[in-house]
Amino acid sequence: MLQRRGARVQRYLAIRPTPGGDRIRLFCFHHAGGGALTFAGWQRRVGADVSVLPVRLPGRETRRTEEHITDGARLLDELQHDLGDLLDEPHAFYGHSLGALVAYRFAQARVRAGQRPPQLLTVGACAAPQLPSPLVKTLLNPGLPDEELVLALGGRDGIPAPLRSRVGRLGAVLRADLRLAHSLRATPVTPLPCPLDAYAGADDPLVSASEVHAWKHCTTARFRFRTVHGTHFFVRGRDVPGAVGEALRSLATGPGAARPGAAPHPAGRPT
């Protein structure tokens, strides 16, 4: 089945996963305005025993000619259709900013359907989904110039140098992604039955540590919170990928650890 749908799977994954093997799959979801290249250095930093699989949303990078998705339900349906076959074995999610909402809602939808949850959900630089986003109304103002939109989202230091000359195109992607984020916040929160780690940037001008810490209400399992060096875009640093790799190795060797090929975990009953 994976081979038959390989073309669709490759649309969302920047790297085609190796079938089988003993490496846990870490699906990484990028921030608003970002893409799969956000996680370019993660494989080296996470470790060889984890397979890093960046997820690329439409409207950017190799998918820049495709229509942006602004409806959360549509995105979750596409992710399930394209990636569902790859989630039968042990896997984990990392989501940064917008990507945290995507990863959480995707895991939530799978649990509700009685499917296997991730071994670990890790989120970064994102207010918990039950909280309102104070930036949405301002940043979705169609009269806000692209330059001001980019500056509002972390300033010039938050935008990679190669993209600063293409503020207009980046502004269109950001607006679409912010609409998607607003859609993903519009449904009730259901705690997940898997461990959840949350990271906040010490100098993040967009999201406070307390807003990130509120993710503790999104799991019925173990919750851990950590503040790391950096602004909203600390995802490009070294601290978090190394910590995610260590967390996954700890889960893999701890009591009750799942191994590739083992029976799926029970999804549990949403509360």
Side-chain angles (χ1 to χ4, degrees), residues 91 93 103-122 189-197 215-223 251 255-256 258 264-271:
H91 63 277
F93 291 162
Y104 166 71
R105 293 301 188 187
F106 188 26
Q108 182 186 52
R110 287 180 52 80
V111 168
R112 284 177 172 168
Q115 297 169 322
R116 183 175 201 149
Q119 302 260 116
L120 172 69
L121 171 64
T122 306
V189 167
T190 303
L192 296 173
C194 63
L196 197 160
D197 291 347
W215 279 92
K216 68 181 181 180
H217 300 295
C218 298
T219 179
T220 57
R222 187 268 291 152
F223 173 77
L251 288 173
H265 293 287
R269 177 176 296 177
T271 59

Side-chain angles (χ1 to χ4, degrees), residues 22-97:
D22 58 358
R23 298 198 300 171
I24 188 169
R25 293 168 173 168
L26 175 62
F27 294 83
C28 297
F29 300 84
H30 57 74
H31 56 79
L37 290 177
T38 299
F39 303 99
W42 270 51
Q43 185 62 74
R44 180 178 69 259
R45 296 166 184 164
V46 169
D49 51 346
V50 177
S51 180
V52 175
L53 299 172
V55 176
R56 177 184 289 129
L57 300 187
R60 69 213 72 216
E61 297 176 349
T62 59
R63 305 187 66 185
R64 62 182 174 275
T65 61
E66 297 181 39
E67 176 190 9
H68 295 286
I69 293 181
T70 59
D71 178 70
R74 176 187 165 192
L75 175 63
L76 298 181
D77 286 345
E78 285 207 8
L79 290 174
Q80 176 60 23
H81 181 267
D82 291 2
L83 305 181
D85 290 347
L86 303 177
L87 304 177
D88 291 336
E89 296 185 8
H91 63 277
F93 291 162
Y94 176 83
H96 195 82
S97 193

Side-chain angles (χ1 to χ4, degrees), residues 2-3 31 41-42 88 91 108 113 146-147 149 212 244 247 255 266:
L2 176 59
Q3 187 175 25
H31 56 79
W42 270 51
D88 291 336
H91 63 277
Q108 182 186 52
D146 291 328
E147 186 79 8
L149 175 65
V212 179
V244 171

